[in-house]
Amino acid sequence: MRPTHTTLTRAALTLSLLLAAPGAHAATIRGADGVSVSVSNPRRVVALNATTVELIYRLGKQGTIVGTDVTGTYPPNRIPSVGHWAQLPAEGIIALKPDLVIGTADNLAMPANQKVTQQLRAAGVKVLVLPASDTGGLDGVRTRLNILADVYGVPGAALALSRSFDTTLKAAQANRPKVTPRVLFLYAHGPGDASIYGTDGGADDLITLAGGRNVAPFRDTRPLTAEALVALNPDAIILLERGLDALGGIEGALKLPGVMQTNAGRQRRVYAVDNSIRWIGPRLPEFALNLARQWNADFR
């Protein structure tokens, strides 16, 4: 497993716990934005970001969620959506009368969202900002998990889930391919709109945990060109499930510029992964295990 930022992140957040109300799950929690939020048995929570919703479900507190954004669809639910994650409506969130809004630093930092947190707090709504969900790998997930466990007063549930991560990761490691594939992650909206993902997101964590090596030589996202793809010559190409669908399946992916001039294209080694992989969540170990098994069979 590659180095992570767990220790630094947890130290920065400084979870100050338990205000000592007998029988109550009360805590004062310092968010990723430096603002401390006092919470006590939250009952109406707007959970922003897919991973926030998933983690609350894993803690057994899904009954408190009264709203989410368009990404909060897993596990399948009927939670009202307040809209797109990159354009959060303060008014729509306030209308749900939450006693706590929980968001992630990456989503709330989007240009259209930068004033949303201020607007909510000005309206008297508590906002807890979790660390970003697009960096930090699985340790970042554990950090957000532990914060949410403090919000709800369920540390045992968080510990059990964290241990399950370890078990699944061990299985992923045991199933890694004997030959390390050189991997490229493509983000595609369609045949004429595809980009190469760099090394600073959830896709990179997935590749590493599954036993591959990301060949992207940069950290951000860049447009796909045939020249770049041929030069990188990956052994395997990963796409989101919806991206592969938009291309028309593997046959469509093979028609992207340069793909058939790579080892991956010639061997038809194109793999689809869950659409949520950009936001690093509690299913990352499961995704890694699934991909490791596929690569174990294909790279010997």
Side-chain angles (χ1 to χ4, degrees):
M1 187 185 303
R2 67 179 189 176
T4 61
H5 304 292
T6 301
T7 302
L8 290 175
T9 303
R10 285 185 63 78
L13 289 169
T14 311
L15 304 182
S16 304
L17 301 179
L18 300 178
L19 293 177
H25 302 302
T28 298
I29 301 172
R30 185 176 173 85
D33 60 347
V35 176
S36 295
V37 180
S38 296
V39 298
S40 178
N41 297 321
R43 292 180 174 82
R44 294 186 62 82
V45 173
V46 172
L48 304 172
N49 186 285
T51 63
T52 306
V53 172
E54 282 199 51
L55 288 169
I56 292 175
Y57 262 83
R58 294 292 188 104
L59 292 173
K61 294 296 182 180
Q62 62 271 23
T64 66
I65 305 175
V66 297
T68 181
D69 58 43
V70 294
T71 68
T73 58
Y74 187 89
N77 60 68
R78 295 184 178 179
I79 301 170
S81 172
V82 297
H84 196 276
W85 62 272
Q87 295 179 313
L88 295 169
E91 297 81 2
I93 295 173
I94 293 170
L96 292 172
K97 300 179 180 179
D99 51 26
L100 180 63
V101 174
I102 306 175
T104 57
D106 49 335
N107 284 14
L108 293 173
M110 295 298 293
N113 292 340
Q114 290 182 2
K115 292 184 178 178
V116 171
T117 303
Q118 297 175 9
Q119 292 171 328
L120 292 173
R121 286 173 174 161
V125 178
K126 294 180 179 179
V127 181
L128 176 62
V129 181
L130 302 177
S133 67
D134 59 351
T135 59
L138 188 59
D139 284 340
V141 177
R142 294 183 203 267
T143 297
R144 283 177 276 132
L145 170 65
N146 289 332
I147 294 172
L148 291 171
D150 291 335
V151 168
Y152 288 105
V154 289
L159 180 60
L161 180 55
S162 186
R163 286 174 174 168
S164 77
F165 293 162
D166 296 333
T167 300
T168 308
L169 278 182
K170 287 181 181 178
Q173 291 170 353
N175 282 277
R176 284 178 175 178
K178 295 178 175 60
V179 177
T180 301
R182 302 173 68 257
V183 185
L184 198 70
F185 191 100
L186 291 182
Y187 185 81
H189 292 289
D193 185 5
S195 301
I196 299 173
Y197 256 34
T199 60
D200 54 351
D204 187 72
D205 293 296
L206 175 65
I207 291 169
T208 302
L209 291 175
R213 182 169 70 83
N214 192 347
V215 296
F218 45 79
R219 293 180 57 83
D220 52 358
T221 302
R222 298 185 182 180
L224 170 68
T225 67
E227 294 77 11
L229 192 58
V230 172
L232 293 171
N233 191 24
D235 302 314
I237 292 174
I238 295 176
L239 288 145
L240 296 180
E241 291 171 342
R242 67 167 180 266
L244 192 59
D245 288 342
L247 293 172
I250 290 181
E251 297 303 326
L254 295 177
K255 294 176 182 177
L256 285 172
V259 169
M260 282 305 294
Q261 282 72 56
T262 67
N263 290 338
R266 287 188 286 270
Q267 298 299 321
R268 300 174 63 87
R269 286 172 174 164
V270 177
Y271 304 83
V273 298
D274 191 88
N275 294 327
S276 69
I277 196 63
R278 169 181 176 178
W279 295 288
I280 307 168
R283 286 181 291 161
L284 179 62
E286 299 170 31
F287 298 152
L289 174 58
N290 182 50
L291 197 55
R293 284 172 171 163
Q294 293 180 69
W295 286 346
N296 189 293
D298 292 344
F299 295 94
R300 298 176 179 275

